[in-house]
Amino acid sequence: MGIRLGAIADDFTGATDLANNLVRAGMRVVQLIGVPEDGGYDIAKNADAVVIALKSRTVPVAEAVDASLRALAWLRSAGAEQIYFKYCSTFDSTPAGNIGPVTEALMDALGTDFTVTTPAFPDNGRTVFKGHLFVGDVLLSESGMRHHPLTPMTDSNLVHVLGAQTTRPVGLIDHTVLAAGADAVRERIAELRSAGVAFAIVDAVSNDDLLRLGEAVSELPLVTAGSGLAIGMPANWGIQPSTAAAQLPPASGRQAIVSGSVSVATNGQVQAFLDSGRPAFSVDPLRIAAGEDVAGEALAFADAHLADGPVLIYSTEAPDAVCGVQSRLGAAEAGELVERTLAEVARGLVARGVRQLVVAGGETSGAVVQALGVTGLRIGPQIDPGVPWCAAALPDGETLHLTLKSGNFGGPDFFSAAFALLEKP
């Protein structure tokens, strides 16, 4: 039947987050790491959806737009019937973009004058009410995202946030419309379009809201959202949830975790691992900047412990410590040093027989999969909401089980839960 849904994700963990929800809803999903260079359409021949993972969330606007348009061209050539632009459930962006400019470029390329916008993902505590984004019980601007080193989120009003990034009017479809059903949403879309509104922030406080929205947007050429909206879209093609869509080959080999996230959730997961007494090595950006072989030390540490179970290599600090490093090195330089080092460590871990690898942090995940030469992933079972195990083919033909975790996702015991899931028959 060909590809029903073609998705463009602005980072690697976000791509697997979206793919996970599509798989849970019954779609067979392939995730591509970047846009294939030479055709590569055979990889999608048995898929209902293809998600192209980009590393475009924090790059300059022109680069993000160019990469997204190339991804769109590939998906359309592969026969995608509808396009889904996926960004983070905390709407990570700056007043310059990249969510707004990328969306406008995709709209122009598709010849459409309207799309919906909602980062809501209630299963992970992300809800939108009266256009305001909540993280758990607090507004986005009061959450840990206000300290994000690259995209600090200090305004919870998404109409304001998106409006600062776009040249076209932004409106709202509030929770009362969602509660009235898909037909009411369609009517509200028609009203907004007739008034010249191009973007509609959509409230969603429950999965039922997302299911209604998914039904209502079946005819839109483009939707933009976090991963939550994905639960309501496969049914538009008559696809129903099935465990068969999430099957992966059996897991084997050594286990490791590489964490470069500075989010509150990942800080808690790292601390839980440390509290359990398991082996962990801390990567210090200042030592990397001083020219020390931190990656080599981390791999030597891993050599001494891998045979006994999971090993954690991490660069995860509290906000004040992160600010201290950034003040000395600069935010971009500090981030690049850590990403490059952790990617080198991940490559070394796989060379040492690691075949079950957890990577925490969007930027870190992008650096790691590129360092490993991974070009595509089969999406498997969910560990925690928004985070699945995936399978990648290594050059030697072996299978690497890989999970790319958004820094904000997962419970405190995420690392142990991840490996326990692979041990299940």
Side-chain angles (χ1 to χ4, degrees):
M1 297 277 298
I3 301 171
R4 276 83 162 187
L5 186 65
I8 302 163
D10 67 359
D11 83 340
F12 289 66
T13 58
T16 54
D17 172 14
L18 171 60
N20 172 67
N21 275 350
L22 293 173
V23 167
R24 289 174 61 220
M27 277 187 155
R28 298 165 299 171
V29 182
V30 170
Q31 178 177 324
L32 303 180
I33 308 303
V35 182
E37 294 287 339
D38 301 309
Y41 301 114
D42 284 349
I43 196 170
K45 64 182 179 182
N46 294 317
D48 300 307
V50 173
V51 180
I52 296 182
L54 303 177
K55 198 177 179 187
S56 58
R57 180 170 299 169
T58 57
V59 303
V61 170
E63 292 181 28
V65 168
D66 178 68
S68 301
L69 289 176
R70 286 189 288 107
L72 173 64
W74 190 94
L75 291 167
R76 295 179 78 183
S77 295
E81 299 171 13
Q82 189 175 32
I83 301 299
Y84 191 129
F85 172 40
K86 195 275 177 194
Y87 37 74
C88 187
S89 64
T90 48
F91 216 63
D92 297 20
S93 52
T94 70
N98 291 337
I99 294 173
V102 167
T103 301
E104 288 191 300
L106 295 174
M107 292 172 71
D108 289 341
L110 289 166
T112 184
D113 63 351
F114 182 87
T115 189
V116 294
T117 302
T118 182
F121 188 4
D123 283 353
N124 253 334
R126 313 297 191 263
T127 54
V128 181
F129 180 76
K130 293 294 184 181
H132 289 71
L133 178 57
F134 286 78
V135 177
D137 294 328
V138 301
L139 287 163
L140 173 67
S141 55
E142 299 172 6
S143 74
M145 284 303 297
R146 69 187 185 277
H147 299 304
H148 194 284
L150 299 178
T151 53
M153 301 304 293
T154 58
D155 188 350
S156 305
N157 187 326
L158 300 187
V159 175
H160 292 168
V161 174
L162 187 59
Q165 302 177 24
T166 62
T167 62
R168 308 174 197 188
V170 181
L172 175 67
I173 300 176
D174 77 11
H175 67 103
T176 60
V177 177
L178 268 295
D183 286 340
V185 175
R186 293 188 188 98
E187 290 174 7
R188 177 60 174 156
I189 288 174
E191 291 173 1
L192 291 170
R193 293 180 89 160
S194 66
V197 172
F199 306 90
I201 300 295
V202 185
D203 281 358
V205 298
S206 68
N207 283 350
D208 285 342
D209 287 338
L210 294 174
L211 292 172
R212 296 183 191 106
L213 179 60
E215 179 184 352
V217 300
S218 62
E219 300 302 318
L220 292 183
L222 172 71
V223 298
T224 85
S227 67
L229 181 55
I231 69 172
M233 297 187 68
N236 292 336
W237 289 278
I239 296 172
Q240 299 299 318
S242 167
T243 57
Q247 291 180 349
L248 295 180
S252 62
R254 293 176 167 179
Q255 302 168 326
I257 305 146
V258 173
S259 176
S261 170
V262 296
S263 74
V264 173
T266 302
N267 278 336
Q269 292 154 4
V270 168
Q271 190 59 53
F273 191 92
L274 296 174
D275 291 344
S276 73
R278 295 173 182 170
F281 182 95
S282 178
V283 171
D284 183 349
L286 296 177
R287 292 185 59 217
I288 302 170
E292 298 182 42
D293 184 14
V294 177
E297 292 179 22
L299 290 171
F301 177 87
D303 284 335
H305 297 283
L306 276 172
D308 299 321
V311 171
L312 168 65
I313 311 296
Y314 70 103
S315 180
T316 299
E317 300 288 352
D320 56 346
V322 173
C323 289
V325 171
Q326 290 178 342
S327 67
R328 297 180 64 176
L329 301 179
E333 176 66 15
E336 290 171 5
L337 285 173
V338 170
E339 289 168 28
R340 190 162 58 244
T341 299
L342 292 180
E344 182 181 346
V345 168
R347 191 166 52 236
L349 290 170
V350 171
R352 287 161 170 77
V354 168
R355 294 295 180 269
Q356 301 174 44
L357 180 63
V358 173
V359 186
E363 299 299 318
T364 304
S365 293
V368 166
V369 296
Q370 289 173 338
L372 295 176
V374 172
T375 58
L377 297 167
R378 286 179 55 191
I379 309 302
Q382 174 176 277
I383 304 164
D384 266 351
V387 195
W389 274 109
C390 308
L394 295 173
D396 61 5
E398 290 195 50
T399 296
L400 172 66
H401 284 74
L402 182 67
T403 187
L404 308 175
K405 187 194 80 70
S406 171
N408 296 301
F409 283 6
D413 65 343
F414 178 85
F415 297 149
S416 59
F419 295 120
L421 180 61
L422 286 185
E423 293 171 0
K424 293 182 178 178

